Amino acid sequence: MFNWFWNFLYSISEILFEIVDGFIVICNKLCGVETIEVDGVQTNFMLSFLTDSRVFMGFAGAALIGIFLLMIFSTIAICKNCADGKKSNGQIAVQVFKTLGLFMLVPTLMVGFSIVLNELVLILYKATSSGSPSLGNFLFKSFLPPEMDGYVGSVNWTSTASVRTYMSAAGYDLSDYRFFFSWIITIPLIILVARALLMFVERCLSIILLFIMSPISLSTTVLDDGHRFKLWRDKVIAKFISGYGMIIALNIYILVLAFITRSDVVFIKDPPIISENLANFLLKAAFALGGAFFLPKVFGLVGDLFGQGAGSGEIAAAQQADERLERGAGWLKGKYDQYQAKKKQEEKEKKDREEKLKNAKKGAAEGNGGGGQGGIGEIF
């Protein structure tokens, strides 16, 4: 009688599982693990950006500005050298020619680095994936009745009819599926994976911006001995590797989830208060959510390994952004409260004036002209 109701509840869980899988597919596309099609040619996402003609024209424009700035900074360096004599004009000329050479090398180095890193990521991806099913499949099996752990059978979790047949063969009904638990675990997981995905998109855009603006960073080498260029280099490496490391972290997370959801893995045996199935489910759910909370931190962790603290800077920047958002929300709330208080005060004053005017008119009607005039005078 209530089959439609249980079908509806499972359809919600199914949509949530598909959203998780969809986010992971997007991550695979952005990381270059899966190719995208550009003008009928299969290529990876980042390489298609770096080799796009419009991006190259942006780089060429920035290179012209960089050359102009380089000439200005070279003149300043020569004038400064005449004052302190720390460098010879020949050394300054060598730095200028090195900088011009780097202007031409940066596009080749960025494209080459992207290709090499993408191949390494593919190797790591294959090593960590090991033919694992989708994360949605693991989530689906995690919320089946505990007694179905280890049940062998074929099921298409994206089909409600298939799931109902699968559970019926094991002696259960679709109403036995743990819908509520699937929602409270999967919804936070979606939020965290979506946050990690947005952070990855931000890094992709940052890499393009760093690529286009590289000539301007290079133009200052004659003044600061390449200090700003070193900062640029560290940021590029950190953003490249931390971004690509995201997909490896996802695969490792799926591997861990595959292990902890196995029926033969029992963390707690005969707990004294709650049932064994519930205790083990709660612990496995803690692993699932804990791993999801770890995903957004991958960028900073990997960035610290390769970017000399750039990853910590990324995390600090994200925290500062959150703090600014909270302060902005607090400011808006404060302004709204002030507006409400001012509005109440104006309404109170208006009500008082109306009351005084009413009393003054009442006094005038009773023949108390002096009182009426005094009442009207009080209003003003």
Side-chain angles (χ1 to χ4, degrees):
M1 180 178 178
F2 292 100
N3 286 343
W4 65 270
F5 180 68
W6 305 120
N7 289 345
F8 173 72
L9 294 183
Y10 180 75
S11 66
I12 297 176
S13 299
E14 177 192 335
I15 290 172
L16 295 177
F17 300 157
E18 288 181 343
I19 291 174
V20 173
D21 273 355
F23 282 156
I24 293 177
V25 169
I26 294 173
C27 286
N28 288 340
K29 294 285 186 181
L30 297 180
C31 289
V33 171
E34 297 181 10
T35 59
I36 63 172
E37 184 175 321
V38 180
D39 294 331
V41 179
Q42 296 294 323
T43 182
N44 71 67
F45 175 77
M46 186 54 63
L47 186 61
S48 66
F49 255 121
L50 293 175
T51 56
D52 185 74
S53 59
R54 287 160 292 190
V55 174
F56 182 78
M57 290 302 296
F59 174 82
L64 292 176
I65 297 174
I67 292 172
F68 176 73
L69 292 175
L70 178 62
M71 296 300 104
I72 294 176
F73 294 148
S74 300
T75 304
I76 294 174
I78 292 172
C79 294
K80 185 179 178 182
N81 179 58
C82 294
D84 55 29
K86 290 183 179 180
K87 290 182 180 180
S88 66
N89 292 336
Q91 290 176 323
I92 295 175
V94 169
Q95 281 188 325
V96 170
F97 284 113
K98 284 183 178 179
T99 303
L100 291 173
L102 285 173
F103 280 178
M104 295 181 287
L105 279 176
V106 163
T108 304
L109 292 175
M110 290 281 285
V111 171
F113 186 62
S114 176
I115 293 173
V116 172
L117 194 57
N118 189 71
E119 292 301 320
L120 292 175
V121 169
L122 282 173
I123 294 172
L124 290 173
Y125 175 80
K126 292 176 181 178
T128 54
S129 61
S130 302
S132 300
S134 68
L135 182 55
N137 183 70
F138 287 130
L139 292 172
F140 159 72
K141 291 186 176 179
S142 298
F143 303 111
L144 288 169
E147 294 77 10
M148 287 188 65
D149 283 349
Y151 176 74
V152 179
S154 60
V155 59
N156 177 14
W157 60 269
T158 61
S159 169
T160 305
S162 177
V163 172
R164 183 179 290 278
T165 302
Y166 176 73
M167 296 183 68
S168 298
Y172 292 92
D173 187 70
L174 187 60
S175 59
D176 297 315
Y177 195 80
R178 293 179 286 187
F179 303 105
F180 178 71
F181 284 115
S182 71
W183 300 341
I184 63 174
I185 295 297
T186 310
I187 290 175
L189 178 61
I190 289 173
I191 295 172
L192 292 166
V193 174
R195 183 187 173 193
L197 178 60
L198 291 176
M199 292 172 70
F200 181 80
V201 171
E202 181 269 333
R203 275 151 183 77
C204 291
L205 298 176
S206 297
I207 289 172
I208 301 301
L209 179 63
L210 288 169
F211 170 64
I212 293 175
M213 301 302 292
S214 59
I216 298 177
S217 298
L218 280 167
S219 64
T220 63
T221 53
V222 294
L223 290 179
D224 60 9
D225 294 325
H227 177 69
R228 287 183 178 82
F229 176 68
K230 290 176 183 177
L231 293 176
W232 175 88
R233 179 197 63 193
D234 289 343
K235 280 191 171 293
V236 168
I237 293 174
K239 288 186 178 295
F240 254 116
I241 296 181
S242 62
Y244 280 111
M246 179 63 201
I247 192 62
I248 306 303
L250 276 172
N251 280 344
I252 293 174
Y253 174 63
I254 293 174
L255 284 177
V256 173
L257 199 63
F259 171 76
I260 65 174
T261 54
R262 283 167 45 185
S263 59
D264 56 346
V265 176
V266 179
F267 292 99
I268 303 174
K269 192 74 174 177
D270 300 325
I273 300 176
I274 60 177
S275 67
E276 180 179 314
N277 288 330
L278 180 59
N280 281 281
F281 171 76
L282 291 176
L283 189 54
K284 292 179 180 182
F287 267 101
L289 283 180
F293 275 102
F294 166 73
L295 292 178
K297 301 181 185 296
V298 170
F299 297 108
L301 179 65
V302 179
D304 280 340
L305 293 176
F306 295 94
Q308 299 181 4
S312 297
E314 297 292 333
I315 292 180
Q319 291 174 345
Q320 290 174 2
D322 292 340
E323 291 173 1
R324 287 195 295 269
L325 184 62
E326 291 176 1
R327 288 197 298 268
W331 180 83
L332 288 175
K333 184 178 184 300
K335 289 295 183 182
Y336 178 76
D337 291 341
Q338 290 178 7
Y339 169 75
Q340 290 293 330
K342 184 178 179 181
K343 186 177 179 181
K344 288 181 180 179
Q345 182 65 25
E346 290 176 349
E347 290 177 352
K348 182 180 178 182
E349 292 175 355
K350 182 180 179 181
K351 187 176 180 181
D352 290 341
R353 286 196 300 269
E354 291 176 350
E355 186 68 24
K356 288 180 179 180
L357 183 60
K358 181 179 179 181
N359 292 335
K361 289 181 177 180
K362 183 178 179 181
E366 292 174 353
N368 188 5
Q373 291 174 358
I376 295 175
E378 288 178 1
I379 298 174
F380 301 99

